[in-house]
Amino acid sequence: MFSLHGKSALVTGAAGGIGRAVAERFIAAGARVVITDIVDGQGVADEIGARFLRMDVGSEDSVAEGLDRAHQELGPLDIVVNNAGVGDVGTSLADTPADAFERITRINQWGVFYGLKHAPAHMNDGGSIINTSSLAALIKMAGSGAYSASKAAVISLTRMAALELGHSGIRVNAVCPGYIDTALGSGDEGQILSEQFTALGRKGTPADLVGAFHFLASDESSYLTGQALVVDGGWSCGPSPQILETLLGSKTVG
Ligand SMILES: NC(=O)c1ccc[n+]([C@@H]2O[C@H](COP(=O)([O-])OP(=O)(O)OC[C@H]3O[C@@H](n4cnc5c(N)ncnc54)[C@H](O)[C@@H]3O)[C@@H](O)[C@H]2O)c1
């Protein structure tokens, strides 16, 4: 169960953070993996037993070429993870420069669009595509306007692609992480907010997430498509007992 033996995978934005952890898990489960990133990931690839290809997900040509090369090196792919992304500018919409909004949208939203557009031609029927969205797609916090919009679009694209690719047996799902301890999620606010807002009372780690990606990549999720799996320590359930205590002086209402 959950074996990825005989499967080949490509993970974007995998020189570090969540993408690297997902690639390592796939390799541990038996997959052959190509990691891609805009920065040099050859050292990471050597360390974890993957191949590395340079790819800028903000460029359609780069994504198309990267997928083509991965296909040439590994044969048709079974798993594609559109994971690369960048964080927010931390300003209100009124103060967000249009070029910053455009950059976030191009990488986080268009990057996933390019992956969904070009990956299927390089995949086996019955494959799995996983897009990294975010809890920010579902729960809005001031200062994350561009990021939240891009991640909500990722869920919309996930559902559309699931409908369009079902005839090939290719499943398309999204993972929506809460704050995760990576370069992108390393700020103090993620620590403080996660302690206060999650049911589990802590920030997540890449190790907390990889099981969700592994499940969605494996044949154990063979009837699951078009879904957004929220991995947020229970943040989206509602106000935590910690928050109630701060606001009401009691861990319960009523
Ligand atoms: N860390 C969190 O708290 C968190 C929460 C929710 C969602 N996410 C999402 O998870 C994904 C991975 O983020 P992470 O936390 O591992 O961050 P990270 O910064 O550790 O890793 C992101 C990787 O993407 C790469 N990248 C950036 N722009 C790129 C581009 N144009 N083309 C190719 N690669 C590019 C970076 O070089 C980096 O290696 C992102 O989509 C992010 O939005 C992260």
Side-chain angles (χ1 to χ4, degrees), residues 17-18 37-38 55-57 83 132-133 147 151 177-178 180 182 184:
I18 294 166
D37 209 291
I38 197 168
M55 184 198 276
D56 172 6
V57 302
N83 166 76
T132 308
S133 176
Y147 184 80
K151 292 300 185 177
I180 303 298
T182 64
L184 190 152

Side-chain angles (χ1 to χ4, degrees), residues 25-47:
R25 168 58 72 91
F26 286 178
I27 290 164
R32 291 173 305 137
V33 176
V34 170
I35 63 169
T36 73
D37 209 291
I38 197 168
V39 300
D40 186 5
Q42 189 59 57
V44 171
D46 293 344
E47 220 175 288

Side-chain angles (χ1 to χ4, degrees), residues 6-214:
K7 294 189 190 287
S8 53
L10 179 144
V11 184
T12 72
I18 294 166
R20 175 189 169 144
V22 167
E24 284 191 87
R25 168 58 72 91
F26 286 178
I27 290 164
R32 291 173 305 137
V33 176
V34 170
I35 63 169
T36 73
D37 209 291
I38 197 168
V39 300
D40 186 5
Q42 189 59 57
V44 171
D46 293 344
E47 220 175 288
I48 69 175
R51 296 171 199 223
F52 171 70
L53 291 175
R54 183 90 65 165
M55 184 198 276
D56 172 6
V57 302
S59 154
E60 181 168 9
D61 286 348
S62 178
V63 173
E65 281 165 24
L67 283 158
D68 193 44
R69 276 193 58 198
H71 186 164
Q72 286 171 30
E73 289 190 17
L74 293 185
L77 300 166
D78 300 291
I79 304 157
V80 172
V81 183
N82 295 308
N83 166 76
V86 290
D88 218 319
V89 279
T91 55
S92 67
L93 291 174
D95 291 330
T96 300
D99 60 348
F101 194 98
E102 193 275 339
R103 176 174 176 270
I104 289 167
T105 306
R106 181 163 40 81
I107 296 170
N108 292 4
Q109 177 179 338
W110 290 61
V112 170
F113 161 59
Y114 295 145
L116 292 171
K117 179 175 174 183
H118 292 284
H122 299 288
M123 293 181 72
N124 283 315
D125 286 358
S128 171
I129 300 177
I130 307 166
N131 302 318
T132 308
S133 176
S134 171
L135 179 62
L138 311 169
I139 288 180
K140 308 300 165 186
M141 285 195 294
S144 73
Y147 184 80
S148 298
S150 71
K151 292 300 185 177
V154 168
I155 295 181
S156 181
L157 289 166
T158 297
R159 292 184 173 140
M160 186 62 68
L163 287 172
E164 293 182 357
L165 298 174
H167 67 91
S168 304
I170 294 178
R171 301 178 296 103
V172 189
N173 293 288
V175 174
C176 300
Y179 277 103
I180 303 298
D181 201 9
T182 64
L184 190 152
S186 64
D188 283 348
E189 97 260 359
Q191 184 72 32
I192 294 163
L193 292 170
S194 300
E195 284 171 8
Q196 290 300 312
F197 281 88
T198 65
L200 296 179
R202 66 173 177 86
K203 187 155 93 167
T205 65
D208 287 320
L209 267 189
V210 292
F213 284 87
H214 186 177

